[in-house]
Every structure is written in C-alpha cells, then in structure tokens.
Amino acid sequence: MASLIPTLNSCLHRMQAGEKRFARRLESHLEDDYLCWYELPVGKRQRYSDFIILHPRRGLLLLEVKDWKLDTIQKMDKVTATIMTSNGLKTVSNPLEQVRQCTYQLIKRLQKDPKLVVPTGRYRGTLIFPYGYGVVLSNIIRDQFDATGLGEVLPEHQTICKDEMLESTDPEVFQERLWNMFNVRFSRSLTLPQVDRIRWHLFPEVRIVTSHLIG
C-alpha cells in the first residue's frame, strides 16, 4: 500500500471527486515503496500539480487530474482548452501543458542539488533518475477519448481514463499506465539517502536535533 503525503483523510475535504478516486487507487494499487504527494506547491508562483509520485526504480511522475466530462470540453489545442462551466465558457490551460510547466519548475529545483545530478561526463548536471508527467481524465472513458480525437492534444500514453482507474483494474495494468508516461527508463535505482533528499525538496520537514550536555 502506497503512502500519501499528507494523509488521505486530511486531504478529502479539499479534493474533487476524481481526485478522491485516484488517490484511493494510488493507495490500493501501488506497493509500499511508492511515495505519493497531493497538491504540493511547485516554484515561486505556487503552481500546483495534483499528484506527485516517486518510486526508487521508476523515478518521479507528476499528474494533473480533471473531472471534466466529454461535453465539458468545447475545444482544445496543445496550449489551451475552452470548457463549459456554471458561469459559461472559460479558457484554461491544456492540462498536459499545465503539468508540463509544473514538472520543469520542479526539475530545475532538483537539479540545483549536486547529490541528485550526474557529476561528470556527457550528462553532467542532469538528474540521476527519470521523470514524467501526464493527465488523468476521471470522467471520460477510453472509447470516448479515442472517438473524439483527444489524442491529438493529449497523447494517449500520457493520459489515464476513467475506466483505467477502477477499483477492479489490475494493479499491474494500472502501474504500467503510469510508467508508460516516461520517455526514458533508467536501470539504476535510487538509494535511500537519495530518496530522502528528493522527499525533503518536495516536502521539507523540520529536523530538530537535541543535544544532551553531560556534567
């Protein structure tokens, strides 16, 4: 069972319905060596990625969850989407572009840590682990996605649909959906100290060291 930070119970009151379902799927369909964060700030502009997932062997994955129904989306290109809201039409960022920007803000931050980058050679300064990003469409099934041509602006391998995040979905199939969002895969695993450094950058914790004076 994966760990969610903060805990799921503490986040439920601010989650949308699709986010709740996806969070429960992360907890039930991922093993305990996965770490998952919900709605952490990324960068100075305080932009948020709905979920961040870390696995020592797989790498870092950022996901944006949208509860849009098919008729919510009026039109979409690779940069923006026009959606129908209770207040009428609204133009917003394409969710994949939104999470892409969040991802690169986070990557820039992590690349400043010398213990998380390649020290020398051709790939000097690049992260020692892979990363990816994608979109979860919690109210659109794959058949609808394929029939409407959404794949032209939301690549199929970077999108999880409603019927791919069911309670009955096989955990291995669910995980493969997540990791297909990566363009590259590394053979090496992160060490525990490296995982701890990433955790600290994502969710800084105050560490208090108490010294006891003798005499």
Side-chain angles (χ1 to χ4, degrees), residues 18 21 66-70 137-141 144 162:
R21 281 191 281 123
K66 293 300 182 187
D67 278 1
W68 298 345
K69 294 184 170 74
L70 199 59
L137 299 176
S138 61
N139 283 317
I140 297 175
I141 64 173
Q144 293 174 319
K162 178 180 180 179

Side-chain angles (χ1 to χ4, degrees), residues 125-164:
T126 61
L127 290 176
I128 57 175
F129 56 89
Y131 59 88
Y133 56 90
V135 175
V136 178
L137 299 176
S138 61
N139 283 317
I140 297 175
I141 64 173
R142 180 60 64 177
D143 284 349
Q144 293 174 319
F145 180 92
D146 291 339
T148 54
L150 280 171
E152 296 295 323
V153 290
L154 296 174
E156 184 273 340
H157 73 284
Q158 288 179 284
T159 308
I160 294 176
C161 294
K162 178 180 180 179
D163 52 337
E164 296 162 344

Side-chain angles (χ1 to χ4, degrees), residues 132-197:
Y133 56 90
V135 175
V136 178
L137 299 176
S138 61
N139 283 317
I140 297 175
I141 64 173
R142 180 60 64 177
D143 284 349
Q144 293 174 319
F145 180 92
D146 291 339
T148 54
L150 280 171
E152 296 295 323
V153 290
L154 296 174
E156 184 273 340
H157 73 284
Q158 288 179 284
T159 308
I160 294 176
C161 294
K162 178 180 180 179
D163 52 337
E164 296 162 344
M165 51 174 279
L166 302 174
E167 189 174 357
S168 59
T169 300
D170 183 276
E172 289 189 10
V173 174
F174 179 74
Q175 290 180 34
E176 192 63 25
R177 267 283 165 197
L178 293 176
W179 304 117
N180 279 342
M181 295 180 178
F182 286 77
N183 292 323
V184 297
R185 300 190 184 191
F186 291 3
S187 58
R188 293 180 57 187
S189 294
L190 290 166
T191 65
L192 184 57
Q194 289 167 342
V195 169
D196 284 342
R197 292 192 75 84

Side-chain angles (χ1 to χ4, degrees), residues 14-29:
R14 55 193 177 96
M15 283 181 167
Q16 300 296 320
E19 293 173 338
K20 292 177 184 177
R21 281 191 281 123
F22 190 70
R24 291 190 174 105
R25 217 60 68 234
L26 293 178
E27 285 198 336
S28 63
H29 282 49

